[in-house]
Structures are given as C-alpha cells and as structure tokens.
C-alpha cells in the first residue's frame, strides 16, 4: 500500500529477530552462572564429607536440600535417582542434564570419587578448583564476546538511523528511486546484505558449543 513492501517485510523480520539478536549475552551468562553453581555444589559436597564423616551418596542427598539455585533441579533429580539407580548411570544422566563439558568433568570426577572411596573430600575440592578455573576462563572469553556484541548493536543502530534519515529527510532525493520495481529489488539486496552482516556479527558473539566427552544416556544404556 505504501509502495515500500520490501521495507515493510524487513521491518517485520527485524521485530521478530530482535529477541534472538539480544539474547546471546543472557544465554552465555546463564550458562556460566550454572557452572559457578556447580562449583559451589561440589565444594558443599566436599564439606559434608569432610566435616560430617558421611559417604558420597549421603552427602549428595543431603546437599540437594540447599543446592545452588542454578542447578537445584539437576541436583535434586540426581539425589532421587541415586535412591534406585546405579551410581554411574545416575552420574551420566546428571552430566546430560548439565549438558556441558564441565558437567562431564564433574560427573567423571564423582564416579572416580565413588570408586576410590578414600580421600573423597580432597578429590572433590580439587575438582571444584578445576571447575572454578574453567568458569574464570569462560568469563574472560565472554567479556571479549560482549565487546563484539556491543559493536554489532552499534552498527545496527547506525544502519537503522541512516535508513530512517534517508526516508525522512531525503525522500525526494535519495529514496524516490526505490519506489519502482527495480528500486525495490535493489533495496531487497541491500537489506539482505545488512541482515546477513547483522546475523554474522551476532554469531561472532555466541559462545561456541561445549564439546562433551561422556556418552549420552541413550548410548550408555546400550
């Protein structure tokens, strides 16, 4: 109706994609917070074993009562599974629930502690320190990705203001040519290039997937 169908489609796509474009930082921060909660939980289990003279199974079940909020559901589920499951299977499904390489490290460490028996508190403390080092490294990397996301947002705002300025101020000089079919085709190409650049910059700000090394629960049951 306005003679700018491509601009209307682009605006609708931008509105739909806006939550995805702004969610990268939140997703990464949530994942790091979960790993930090995992470190806190491991230290809690180590403290229970060291001070209460209880075994690993009892310590895990006790820790589920006040597990860190980031992994409270996963720890509670682990405690319930340990009542009826074999320890290794429960640990593997716990790693699946965490769904991160650090979760695999924690699950593997718990299996070692369960098999070894002695020195459990010391082993769990060492495991917690390893998780803490990983969390620190990820926070450093996330700070660099945050700068990339800020650059992407700044470019997006500049482009939006530029197109808006052309449309409002230079309607007769700059944008009149885009009212034709050929002009709309050219505009479609221009906006496609801009959209591709925005998506590419957004992906540069994504945390790369964490490569896991433990088998999934379905593979473990074969």
């Amino acid at each position: 109706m306005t003679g700018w169908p491509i601009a209307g489609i682009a605006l609708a796509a931008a509105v739909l994609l806006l939550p995805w474009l702004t969610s990268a930082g939140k997703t990464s921060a949530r994942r790091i917070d979960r790993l930090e909660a995992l470190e806190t939980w491991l230290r809690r289990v180590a403290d229970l074993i060291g001070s209460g003279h209880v075994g690993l199974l009892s310590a895990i079940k006790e820790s589920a009562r006040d597990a860190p909020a980031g992994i409270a559901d996963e720890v509670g589920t682990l405690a319930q599974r340990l009542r009826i499951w074999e320890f290794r299977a429960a640990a593997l499904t716990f790693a699946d629930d965490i769904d991160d390489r650090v979760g695999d490290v924690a699950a593997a460490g718990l299996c070692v502690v369960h098999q070894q028996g002695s020195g459990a508190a010391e082993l769990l403390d060492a495991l917690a320190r390893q998780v803490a080092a990983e969390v620190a490294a990820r926070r450093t990397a996330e700070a660099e990705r945050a700068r990339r996301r800020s650059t992407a947002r700044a470019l997006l705002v500049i482009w939006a203001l530029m197109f808006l300025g052309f449309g409002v101020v230079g309607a007769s000089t700059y944008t009149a040519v885009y009212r034709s079919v050929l002009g709309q085709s050219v505009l479609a190409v221009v906006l496609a290039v801009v959209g591709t650049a925005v998506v590419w910059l957004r992906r540069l700000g994504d945390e790369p997937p964490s490569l896991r090394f433990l088998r999934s629960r379905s593979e473990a049951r074969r």
Side-chain angles (χ1 to χ4, degrees), residues 12-200:
V15 171
L16 292 175
L17 289 176
L18 188 60
W20 177 75
L21 291 173
T22 58
S23 65
K26 297 177 182 178
T27 302
S28 298
R30 192 180 306 114
R31 185 175 299 139
I32 292 174
D33 288 343
R34 278 168 56 84
L35 298 183
E36 200 165 39
L38 180 62
E39 174 206 347
T40 302
W41 175 70
L42 289 172
R43 295 188 187 279
R44 170 64 174 159
V45 175
D47 290 341
L48 288 171
I49 294 175
S51 61
H53 303 289
V54 297
L56 177 61
L57 293 179
S58 298
I60 291 175
K61 294 173 184 177
E62 177 68 22
S63 70
R65 298 178 181 177
D66 58 350
I71 58 169
D73 292 340
E74 289 81 359
V75 173
T77 303
L78 173 63
Q80 292 297 324
R81 286 170 177 156
L82 287 175
R83 300 180 188 277
I84 54 176
W85 286 25
E86 183 262 338
F87 188 90
R88 179 176 177 274
L92 286 175
T93 52
F94 176 70
D96 283 343
D97 292 339
I98 299 298
D99 194 24
D100 192 281
R101 180 171 56 85
V102 176
D104 288 357
V105 171
L110 289 173
C111 288
V112 171
V113 171
H114 180 256
Q115 292 177 354
Q116 183 166 328
S118 61
E122 292 77 9
L123 285 172
L124 288 173
D125 274 332
L127 185 60
R129 289 194 296 271
Q130 183 177 353
V131 173
E134 178 71 19
V135 169
R138 291 200 185 187
R139 287 198 182 279
T140 301
E142 177 59 21
E144 176 61 29
R145 285 190 293 269
R147 285 193 287 270
R148 296 177 183 174
R149 289 193 293 269
S150 297
T151 301
R153 284 193 292 268
L155 288 175
L156 184 59
V157 170
I158 291 171
W159 286 332
L161 292 176
M162 180 184 69
F163 285 125
L164 182 62
F166 284 163
V168 174
V169 179
S172 59
T173 306
Y174 296 106
T175 61
V177 66
Y178 291 112
R179 292 185 178 275
S180 65
V181 175
L182 178 60
Q184 286 292 293
S185 300
V186 173
L187 182 62
V189 173
V190 171
L191 292 178
V193 172
V194 171
T196 301
V198 170
V199 172
W200 177 65

